[in-house]
Amino acid sequence: MLDTNILSQVRGLFQGLQSNYTLAAVIGSDNDKAVEMREFLNDFASTSDRLTVTFVEDESHQLAFSLLKDGQETGIRFRGIPNGHEFTSLLLAVLNADGQGKNLPDEAISRRIAAIQGEIKFETYVSLTCTNCPDVVQALNVMALLNPSISNEMIDGALFQDEVSRRNIQGVPSVFVNGEPFHTGRGDLGELLQKLEDRMGSSETAIGEPIERTYDVVVLGGGPAGASAAIYSARKGLHVGIIAERIGGQVKDTVGIENLISVPQTTGAQLAADLKEHIGRYEIDVFENRKIDRVVLQGTQKRVFVRGGEEFVSPAVIIATGASWRRLNVEEETRYIGHGVHFCPHCDGPFYRNKNVAVIGGGNSGIEAAIDLAGICQNVTVLEFADKLGADTVLQEKAHSLGNVDIFVSSQTTAVLGDGEKVTAIRVKDRNTDTEREIKLDGVFVQIGLSPNSDLFRDQLELTARREVKIDETNRTSLPGVYAAGDVSSVPYKQIVIAMGEGAKAALSAFDDRIRGLIAQ
């Protein structure tokens, strides 16, 4: 079943396995995927002498297997055949259980995972064509490996439609914890860990003593601005640390990028990987999956406190925390997030095949979303608040050429309507006449831009009316030794190429202040 080239690559990856692993499968005799599952697992197990597979057949409709290490449960289980994008999740489950893999967290994150309290059973519904699902599955699998009280089961939603319907799942990945909804959509280890800590609590004694780290420059954020600031600082010979939820930041949510000068075409995921590779060529300490709890920016030594007991000390802090998706902030929006209200058309669009949806926002991201959704949806309604679209002309022309895309400007979405379980319509006001109407539909994709991630700094730095960190032309803020760059700052035009330049400027300003004695060395 598995391609011979793939099997050869897997054999190479598994050459260094130290422990013995068993794929313990339970397969229902009446399941039409039973033969395929057997072939898949046998092929996979053939890649190493350290792998074996066992089968138990019963009269149920089961199609699942667990990963055992030296005969002991790891807490990782797959329901369905982890092919497609989830094949990597299976590979990494084995490698991670063996202590291998670049996705394994560092000591501080591992301590936080181990400190989570209570018995935790994750159920993660995925689509094998979803590009964001593996990130969530792999993060939860890592948690299961590091905390014996945590388990995670990947479930192929296409094979268990009755469960998908019963649980009213309308987007993937869709995660349940102990039977209750927990998370929907894109996510990474840091985000999921934070949500789990907030829900379940942590043992402070398990986390251990605080860890203090000292640097010449600390960069907050790992997007284009943060990566640029860190690289420029490191090239000056400075000791640099990056604190970020993820390298790439919001860029990872962008599918196609065609305006990064000298790079005719790339993707957000590829650019994020390229940023990480470039950072890795310098002696820069990267602290991913971090949640900053608070900052103290006054004084000669700035202090950044991170959840889990880490404290970063530096005379120079460059803020590059970026921005997050804006919400409509209308009635019932929050209630239906993941149940008809979405922010990622590429993740959740496939759930609306042959259905009617709306895209809120007429900028580049909104019109791109409409074009993509038009290929699978029956009808796409674009609603733009302004009196004209803001998207590039070429995108507008493409959208107007599609027969199942309707575009309305001067339209304000005033409410999301539903039946208690899912979205059924939205209420829209014509801003020219103030008349309101309801548009019946199945899903809403919100694409109205970004909001700066500046809450941490609002009591210590001067912000603009839009809550951006106010900077001068050299990226200096209202406090000495504190600089800002990219989408969190007041620089106009939120573009990747501009953020990169702004990060470089901030680093050069910090270095200039250092050599002139304006900040401590």
Side-chain angles (χ1 to χ4, degrees):
M1 177 180 175
L2 289 173
D3 182 82
T4 54
N5 290 329
I6 292 177
L7 290 173
S8 177
Q9 294 174 33
V10 175
R11 287 189 185 96
L13 290 172
F14 286 170
Q15 277 184 346
L17 290 180
Q18 299 297 309
S19 297
N20 295 315
Y21 296 92
T22 303
L23 308 176
V26 179
I27 301 178
S29 56
D30 65 341
N31 195 302
D32 57 7
K33 292 283 186 177
V35 173
E36 187 179 342
M37 172 73 101
R38 286 180 177 273
E39 291 179 357
F40 175 87
L41 293 179
N42 282 326
D43 283 352
F44 188 81
S46 72
T47 59
S48 173
D49 292 338
R50 294 283 189 177
L51 286 173
T52 58
V53 58
T54 63
F55 295 99
V56 173
E57 187 172 303
D58 59 21
E59 296 181 355
S60 70
H61 201 65
Q62 280 288 336
L63 191 75
F65 66 94
S66 299
L67 177 65
L68 278 60
K69 177 180 179 179
D70 294 328
Q72 301 298 313
E73 291 280 359
T74 61
I76 295 174
R77 178 179 169 89
F78 295 86
R79 187 139 58 93
I81 303 171
N83 237 325
H85 291 296
E86 290 302 336
F87 187 67
T88 302
S89 297
L90 175 57
L91 285 176
L92 283 173
V94 176
L95 290 172
N96 291 166
D98 212 56
Q100 304 178 51
K102 293 183 179 180
N103 64 316
L104 284 173
D106 56 33
E107 178 189 359
I109 299 298
S110 297
R111 291 199 312 176
R112 286 173 58 191
I113 294 171
I116 298 293
Q117 295 180 315
E119 292 291 327
I120 299 163
K121 178 185 178 182
F122 286 116
E123 297 168 281
T124 307
Y125 290 84
V126 305
S127 165
L128 300 184
T129 61
C130 168
T131 57
N132 288 323
C133 291
D135 290 339
V136 172
V137 172
Q138 291 159 26
L140 298 179
N141 283 348
V142 164
M143 290 191 197
L145 291 170
L146 295 175
N147 187 324
S149 297
I150 298 176
S151 66
N152 180 48
E153 180 179 50
M154 183 222 80
I155 304 168
D156 180 359
L159 298 182
F160 300 95
Q161 285 294 321
D162 56 336
E163 292 182 30
V164 170
S165 298
R166 187 174 68 251
R167 285 182 150 173
N168 193 32
I169 295 171
Q170 294 183 311
V172 290
S174 188
V175 184
F176 291 75
V177 62
N178 297 339
E180 298 295 327
F182 175 72
H183 178 86
T184 301
R186 179 194 61 77
D188 52 36
L189 179 61
E191 178 185 359
L192 295 165
L193 177 55
Q194 292 162 29
K195 292 179 72 170
L196 190 60
E197 288 172 327
D198 291 340
R199 177 174 291 203
M200 305 299 295
S202 297
S203 168
E204 293 186 7
T205 56
I207 289 177
E209 293 297 319
I211 302 172
E212 183 175 294
R213 310 182 192 276
T214 303
Y215 290 92
D216 295 326
V217 177
V218 167
V219 178
L220 310 184
S228 176
I231 289 168
Y232 263 74
S233 296
R235 286 176 61 85
K236 294 296 186 181
L238 301 180
H239 188 204
V240 183
I242 296 180
I243 307 170
E245 293 186 6
R246 56 178 178 165
I247 298 300
Q250 206 69 27
V251 158
K252 293 191 76 171
D253 297 330
T254 303
V255 176
I257 299 170
E258 298 180 354
N259 57 356
L260 183 57
I261 308 307
S262 84
V263 182
Q265 196 281 329
T266 188
T267 65
Q270 184 59 54
L271 179 56
D274 291 341
L275 291 174
K276 196 164 192 173
E277 179 185 356
H278 200 170
I279 291 169
R281 298 194 178 193
Y282 297 89
E283 293 185 3
I284 298 170
D285 292 341
V286 179
F287 300 91
E288 275 193 279
N289 301 313
R290 264 45 179 199
K291 173 68 174 178
I292 301 173
D293 280 337
R294 62 188 180 94
V295 295
V296 177
L297 300 178
Q298 293 87 356
T300 56
Q301 293 294 330
K302 323 300 180 185
R303 295 184 178 273
V304 180
F305 299 88
V306 174
R307 181 176 292 189
E310 289 176 286
E311 180 180 342
F312 294 79
V313 182
S314 176
V317 170
I318 299 175
I319 299 169
T321 47
S324 302
W325 293 115
R326 291 184 187 274
R327 296 188 180 185
L328 294 169
N329 293 321
V330 299
E331 181 183 347
E332 298 285 60
E333 176 189 24
T334 300
R335 177 179 183 180
Y336 289 108
I337 289 176
H339 298 279
V341 175
H342 305 279
F343 299 89
C344 180
H346 311 288
C347 310
D348 301 325
F351 282 88
Y352 294 89
R353 184 172 299 277
N354 300 322
K355 294 184 178 181
N356 299 321
V357 301
V359 173
I360 314 299
N364 281 346
S365 60
I367 299 303
E368 286 175 353
I371 293 169
D372 288 342
L373 290 166
I376 57 176
C377 296
Q378 180 173 320
N379 182 264
V380 180
T381 301
V382 177
L383 300 167
E384 166 57 43
F385 182 86
D387 59 2
K388 62 180 181 179
L389 299 179
D392 294 342
T393 302
V394 63
L395 294 174
Q396 293 190 42
E397 290 175 348
K398 175 64 176 176
H400 282 296
S401 73
L402 299 173
N404 62 338
V405 174
D406 299 318
I407 299 174
F408 299 92
V409 297
S410 300
S411 298
Q412 180 182 357
T413 304
T414 57
V416 173
L417 308 176
D419 61 7
E421 293 187 351
K422 62 183 184 299
V423 168
T424 58
I426 55 174
R427 186 180 301 128
V428 180
K429 181 173 73 173
D430 185 320
R431 296 181 55 244
N432 293 321
T433 64
D434 284 340
T435 58
E436 288 193 323
R437 63 183 175 123
E438 290 185 7
I439 302 176
K440 295 188 181 302
L441 42 70
D442 303 290
V444 181
F445 291 85
V446 182
Q447 302 283 289
I448 57 173
L450 301 168
S451 177
N453 297 323
S454 60
D455 285 352
L456 280 168
F457 320 110
R458 65 179 183 273
D459 295 329
Q460 300 181 58
L461 295 175
E462 184 179 355
L463 305 183
T464 69
R466 296 182 178 180
R467 298 191 299 111
E468 301 161 325
V469 176
K470 190 172 183 179
I471 58 172
D472 63 15
E473 67 275 10
T474 63
N475 296 81
R476 293 175 172 90
T477 71
S478 55
L479 283 179
V482 183
Y483 315 83
D487 288 1
V488 72
S489 77
S490 57
V491 65
Y493 310 119
K494 312 302 185 183
Q495 297 289 308
I496 293 171
V497 68
I498 292 174
M500 289 178 171
E502 291 294 298
K505 281 171 56 183
L508 293 173
S509 292
F511 182 74
D512 187 50
D513 287 350
R514 179 184 178 88
I515 62 176
R516 291 194 295 129
L518 298 180
I519 61 175
Q521 297 192 29

